[in-house]
Amino acid sequence: MNKRIAILLPYKEDYNKNNAGSASLWVKDFFENSKLKKITTIYGINTKKKSLSKNFVNLNNKFPLFTFKKNIYYANLFLKNIHKQTKIIEIHNRPEIFHFIKKQNSNYKLILVFHNNPLLIRGSKKIKERQDILNKCSNIIFVSKWVQKKFFEGLNNKKSKKCSVIYPAIKRLNKFPEKKNIITFFGKLNKSKGYDLAGEAVVNILKKYKNWKAVFAGNEEREKYNFTHKNLKIYKWLSHDKILKLLKKSSICLVPSVWDEPFGRISMEASNYGNAVILSNKGGLSETSKYHIKLKNPDVTNIFKEINNLILDKKKLSNLQKKSFFDYKIFIEKSVKNLDHIKMKNIK
């Protein structure tokens, strides 16, 4: 079978079950549900034995530990290893690599997927670079309307038929899961994610309500906090599968980010799994769910207040959970269908 489509992950991503980042999970979910997976090969780095999905080519053994211009070296390595039949290259979050490959071979159909703010990524910070991407790219995919809006800042044209918003998504559960008195927080345990605010608020909640528990998980070695309570469990890291299992059981999920989240995968997953999500109005977070509690000001007092209100008003908590679950509009089948359609148009 001809391998016409090549997907290139960022070299910093680790394409395995234990260390997968947002781009790796996006690729894995879309690949597994795509009708084009037989003609697709994924390229990237995997430091473990087993990859997240099949049709994966590991560039790890060929990638030196120390090298300058890693994106360019990585792109060269990728071009040397791709199948000769490749027609479409899907590049994730690396516009610098897009520019390089386009100069090397203009015959490829290039699809560029932005997972983060384009104004903060090398290769798309400048207006000229983004205009060049718009002119030469076959298609540009954004993980949220907010990310798309950032891309067009400073450009004369604010829309293009080449551009699409395709949200990260997961499969729906067959039925509403059984919920327990658990509050969750997943993400880097730092100030930008609002971990310092969530930690203090949740400890105060657990002191007040003895029958509630909380589970936090993430990683951040640079910042140290000492949130302790017998009903609070903090993990340095959990695999994506374990996080989803916890979201099935949890009742309330906190996403009080103080930085502009490009989308907010945890918020999307928590809503999909029937959680009452309390989030800040930063970046693309509000796009992750139609039903949520939006913090006007993400601070300890407001987070505590919103959790407290949900615990006291069981009917409100239940209604929010069920609306999040049953009225959810972002699902993997729809997202994959949109992306497959874009690729098929390029193939034809």
Side-chain angles (χ1 to χ4, degrees), residues 88-91 98 102 108-114 133-142 151 160-164 166 338-339 341-347:
I88 298 171
I89 297 176
E90 179 185 310
I91 303 165
F98 160 80
K102 198 65 183 176
Y108 291 122
K109 296 282 187 179
L110 299 183
I111 299 173
L112 183 55
V113 183
F114 279 101
I133 292 169
L134 200 56
N135 292 339
K136 297 177 181 178
C137 210
S138 295
N139 293 92
I140 310 170
I141 310 297
F142 305 97
F151 178 86
S160 171
K161 292 181 179 179
K162 293 181 177 182
C163 297
S164 305
I166 300 181
N338 291 340
L339 187 58
H341 177 69
I342 289 169
K343 291 177 182 177
M344 282 304 300
K345 282 176 70 176
N346 279 300
I347 290 172

Side-chain angles (χ1 to χ4, degrees), residues 62-64 67-80 97 100:
K62 301 165 187 177
F63 199 75
T67 183
F68 294 104
K69 295 185 177 180
K70 288 187 177 181
N71 276 336
I72 304 305
Y73 187 96
Y74 184 58
N76 260 320
L77 197 57
F78 164 71
L79 290 173
K80 289 176 182 177
I97 289 179
F100 176 80

Side-chain angles (χ1 to χ4, degrees), residues 7-16 19-21 23-24 27 42-48 56-78 90-98 115 121-122:
I7 299 175
L8 180 62
L9 285 159
Y11 72 86
K12 286 187 177 180
E13 289 278 334
D14 203 348
Y15 200 68
N16 59 67
N19 304 319
S24 290
V27 168
I42 302 165
Y43 297 82
I45 303 294
N46 178 22
T47 59
K48 304 294 181 182
F56 179 76
V57 175
N58 192 3
L59 302 175
N60 186 47
N61 296 332
K62 301 165 187 177
F63 199 75
L65 188 61
F66 301 103
T67 183
F68 294 104
K69 295 185 177 180
K70 288 187 177 181
N71 276 336
I72 304 305
Y73 187 96
Y74 184 58
N76 260 320
L77 197 57
F78 164 71
E90 179 185 310
I91 303 165
H92 283 262
N93 225 32
R94 289 295 181 269
E96 187 178 33
I97 289 179
F98 160 80
H115 295 265
I121 306 174
R122 193 163 57 243

Side-chain angles (χ1 to χ4, degrees), residues 74-224:
Y74 184 58
N76 260 320
L77 197 57
F78 164 71
L79 290 173
K80 289 176 182 177
N81 283 272
I82 60 174
H83 293 282
K84 292 180 180 179
Q85 304 99 331
T86 300
K87 302 296 181 186
I88 298 171
I89 297 176
E90 179 185 310
I91 303 165
H92 283 262
N93 225 32
R94 289 295 181 269
E96 187 178 33
I97 289 179
F98 160 80
H99 294 299
F100 176 80
I101 292 178
K102 198 65 183 176
K103 287 179 182 177
Q104 299 299 308
N105 190 328
S106 59
N107 293 324
Y108 291 122
K109 296 282 187 179
L110 299 183
I111 299 173
L112 183 55
V113 183
F114 279 101
H115 295 265
N116 294 94
N117 183 352
L119 304 182
L120 301 178
I121 306 174
R122 193 163 57 243
S124 59
K125 292 179 181 179
K126 299 175 183 177
I127 292 174
K128 185 180 180 300
E129 291 172 330
R130 280 176 279 129
Q131 189 64 60
D132 202 37
I133 292 169
L134 200 56
N135 292 339
K136 297 177 181 178
C137 210
S138 295
N139 293 92
I140 310 170
I141 310 297
F142 305 97
V143 297
S144 70
K145 293 176 183 176
W146 182 85
V147 173
Q148 181 176 244
K149 184 180 176 182
K150 286 293 177 181
F151 178 86
F152 281 101
E153 278 190 14
L155 297 179
N156 292 327
N157 40 339
K158 299 299 179 184
K159 290 183 179 180
S160 171
K161 292 181 179 179
K162 293 181 177 182
C163 297
S164 305
V165 174
I166 300 181
Y167 292 119
I170 54 174
K171 283 189 174 180
R172 291 196 63 163
L173 298 174
N174 293 326
K175 63 179 182 178
F176 187 81
E178 183 181 346
K179 292 297 178 181
K180 297 183 179 180
N181 293 344
I182 299 174
I183 303 164
T184 52
F185 174 99
F186 300 119
K188 287 190 175 182
L189 307 181
N190 60 26
K191 286 183 179 180
S192 67
K193 291 287 187 180
Y195 171 64
D196 55 327
L197 309 175
E200 188 176 340
V202 166
V203 168
N204 292 335
I205 285 288
L206 297 179
K207 287 177 181 178
K208 185 176 180 179
Y209 300 100
K210 309 298 182 185
N211 61 330
W212 276 79
K213 296 180 179 180
V215 179
F216 289 7
N219 62 335
E220 184 57 65
E221 298 298 323
R222 293 169 296 176
E223 296 181 19
K224 301 293 182 182

